[in-house]
């Protein structure tokens, strides 16, 4: 078991009507709020009006229009400018992972005199950040409980996972009711994202029984509950358990003491979204089974066998190689069964830039240190198999 030093300072306020605590949460931070949100879903579900009503008496400046795969220019830059112009005390992010991620980058950029890209690209370490409070409306990324903000820079095709302990949200309000309106496409993509977060921590060299059990139960819960959410989007119990699984997915709690895995599927997917602006969870679902097949070997076989038996209930008496192959097939079929397009061509990606993307990934994602190290050639083969 590896050493670790772990702290998640985020307060989770979970359940129906947890928004009622918003005024008391915000009261700690001052009167000037930057309210950030996306393309309008929060208005359709009445959440925008509710926030404004609960925060009467505050000075609220708004940054709207934050897109999926949030963009450095204009969203991060506009947010930083607004924070500085209005001397903002706290950011209230209302939306999915993209709104939260963008808000975290703004929070750090607002306290820095130079170009915020210096921080996101790790050229300069942030010394301070504004507090971020969020109200989550889409269960997927785990941004509500982690330290990352993933930001895209269109002109360079960069999509960078910027992490700093300063960026944990101070409080996350998680009311599953606000996720009832999430489309089937985004619900399925959210499931694939949270499942892949779990797999990125499960498929590594050094693990514990405790963490394996935690991960296996996460995967089973996500698979059962996503079907219920897709069948009945207003199934509170299913949306709630699904949301909590997603929250646990990305902050490291599933792999305390494990050896690092290098998060290879994320390394590859970030380039797909960076180049083609696709939905993150769909890209992951496409890559994951192809990556699994690519890394299956004598060395990794026991992991796949355990995964197959404990997650998919595959007959343990079968030959090990057969269990592993069935497990990979089951992973593919599960994603397909919840409506995810399972080929890159279906999401608008052909082979014309695969070599360029493989080089970009090999240069920027550190996958030579992954659980199974990946060279440019390996990455290219995984991408070609995903077409
Ligand atoms: O923009 P609006 O109108 O709000 O619509 C959004 C958007 O179109 C919509 N939506 C959100 N809540 C809704 C809703 N529609 C109806 N009802 C609701 N209640 O859903 C669409 C997608 O939203 P987005 O925030 O982009 O989705 P998600 O939460 O999956 O976030 C994806 C982003 O997070 C990054 C991804 O790379 C991607 O950029 N990630 C962040 C991570 C982190 N911070 O730790 C880790 C992940 O691995 C991931 O990389
Ligand atoms: Zn992810």
């Amino acid at each position: 078991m590896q050493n670790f030093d772990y702290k998640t300072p985020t307060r989770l306020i979970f359940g129906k009507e947890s928004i009622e605590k918003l005024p008391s949460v915000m009261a700690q931070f001052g009167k000037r709020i930057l309210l950030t949100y996306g393309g309008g879903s929060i208005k359709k579900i009445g959440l925008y009006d509710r926030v404004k009503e609960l925060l009467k008496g505050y000075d609220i400046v708004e940054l709207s229009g934050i897109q999926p795969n949030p963009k450095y220019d204009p969203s991060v830059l506009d947010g930083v400018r607004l924070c500085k112009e209005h001397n903002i005390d706290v950011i209230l992010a209302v939306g999915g992972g993209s709104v939260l991620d963008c808000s975290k980058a703004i929070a750090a950029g607002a306290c820095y005199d130079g170009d915020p890209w210096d921080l996101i690209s790790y050229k300069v370490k942030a010394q301070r950040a504004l507090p971020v409070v969020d109200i989550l409306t889409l269960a997927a990324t785990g941004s509500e409980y982690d330290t990352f903000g993933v930001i895209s820079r269109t002109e360079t095709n960069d999509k960078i996972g910027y992490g700093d302990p300063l960026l944990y949200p101070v409080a996350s309000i998680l009311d599953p009711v606000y996720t009832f309106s999430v489309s089937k496409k985004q619900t399925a993509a959210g499931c694939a994202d949270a499942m892949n977060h779990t797999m990125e921590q499960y498929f590594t060299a050094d693990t514990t029984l405790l963490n394996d059990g935690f991960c296996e139960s996460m995967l089973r819960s996500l698979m059962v509950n996503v079907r219920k959410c897709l069948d009945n989007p207003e199934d509170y119990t299913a949306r709630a358990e699904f949301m909590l699984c997603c929250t646990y997915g990305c902050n490291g709690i599933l792999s305390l003491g494990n050896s690092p895995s290098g998060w290879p599927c994320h390394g590859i997917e970030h380039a797909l979204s960076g180049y083609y602006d696709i939905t993150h969870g769909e890209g992951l679902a496409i890559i994951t089974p192809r990556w699994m097949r690519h890394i299956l070997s004598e060395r990794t076989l026991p992991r796949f066998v355990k995964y197959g038996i404990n997650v998919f209930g595959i007959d343990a008496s079968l030959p090990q190689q057969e269990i592993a192959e069935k497990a990979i097939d089951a992973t593919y079929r599960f994603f397909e069964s919840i409506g995810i397009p399972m080929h890159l061509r279906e999401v608008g990606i052909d082979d014309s830039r695969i070599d360029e993307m493989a080089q970009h990934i090999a240069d920027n994602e550190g996958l030579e240190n992954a659980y199974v190290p990946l060279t440019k050639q390996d990455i290219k083969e995984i991408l070609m198999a995903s077409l």
Side-chain angles (χ1 to χ4, degrees), residues 140-141 192-194 196-197 250 263 266 270 280-281 284:
T141 63
D193 190 17
N196 190 267
H197 294 161
C250 213
W263 287 58
H266 274 70
H270 282 167
H280 172 63
L284 287 172

Side-chain angles (χ1 to χ4, degrees), residues 91-368:
I91 300 176
L92 176 59
V94 186
S98 294
V99 173
L100 272 58
D101 284 8
C102 184
S103 304
K104 291 176 181 179
I106 293 169
C111 301
Y112 176 64
D113 287 336
D115 181 349
W117 193 254
D118 295 345
L119 307 173
I120 295 167
S121 60
Y122 295 102
K123 207 169 106 192
V124 175
K125 162 88 179 80
Q127 298 303 314
R128 252 171 14 93
L130 291 177
V132 175
V133 174
D134 66 81
I135 304 172
L136 186 70
T137 64
L138 195 166
T141 63
S143 187
E144 66 276 18
Y145 203 39
D146 78 20
T147 180
F148 296 102
V150 186
I151 303 298
S152 294
R153 192 159 189 179
T154 315
E155 70 272 23
T156 52
N157 301 309
D158 278 312
K159 184 172 182 191
I160 296 186
Y162 168 44
D164 189 297
L166 292 168
L167 303 183
Y168 281 107
V170 290
S172 292
I173 294 178
L174 307 173
D175 182 342
V177 171
Y178 293 133
T179 68
F180 285 178
S181 55
V182 175
S183 66
K184 286 189 191 310
K185 174 188 163 83
Q186 291 294 341
T187 300
C191 178
D193 190 17
M195 284 181 68
N196 190 267
H197 294 161
T198 311
M199 293 174 192
E200 300 273 39
Q201 296 169 84
Y202 184 83
F203 285 96
T204 190
D206 194 3
T207 68
T208 62
L209 275 179
L210 175 68
N211 292 343
D212 285 353
F214 210 166
C215 290
E216 288 158 3
S217 122
M218 280 272 294
L219 292 169
R220 289 194 304 269
S221 168
L222 284 162
M223 290 195 291
V224 167
N225 284 298
V226 77
R227 289 203 195 285
K228 294 183 181 171
C229 296
L230 292 171
D231 286 349
N232 174 11
E234 303 201 0
D235 179 338
Y236 179 83
T237 308
R239 286 282 193 192
E241 186 170 332
F242 183 75
M243 191 176 209
L244 192 56
C245 281
C246 294
T247 296
Y248 285 152
C250 213
N251 88 342
I253 199 168
L254 302 177
S255 55
L256 295 178
N258 284 7
S259 52
S261 82
W263 287 58
C265 294
H266 274 70
I268 297 174
E269 199 295 315
H270 282 167
L272 297 179
S273 294
Y275 278 70
Y276 290 94
D277 215 350
I278 65 167
T279 299
H280 172 63
E282 292 184 348
L284 287 172
I286 296 169
I287 294 296
T288 303
R290 277 70 180 220
W291 164 78
M292 288 178 159
R293 213 165 282 293
H294 191 86
I295 67 154
L296 179 58
S297 68
E298 206 179 323
R299 175 185 157 226
T300 61
L301 185 64
R303 284 272 86 200
F304 282 99
V305 169
K306 188 168 194 194
Y307 168 73
I309 295 169
N310 292 345
V311 176
F312 290 104
I314 295 170
D315 180 355
S317 67
L318 291 172
Q320 297 221 326
Q321 182 71 20
E322 194 178 334
I323 296 174
E325 281 169 16
K326 278 184 185 292
I328 297 172
D329 285 347
T331 307
Y332 181 99
R333 280 201 313 276
F334 170 74
F335 289 141
E336 193 178 39
S337 76
I338 58 171
I340 297 184
M342 287 304 289
H343 292 272
L344 290 179
R345 288 189 198 281
E346 291 175 69
V347 296
I349 301 178
D350 61 17
D351 62 0
S352 59
R353 301 186 79 184
I354 280 189
D355 189 70
E356 187 187 343
M357 285 194 290
Q359 188 67 57
H360 185 93
I361 297 162
D363 289 344
N364 293 295
E365 298 291 342
L367 298 187
E368 66 278 11

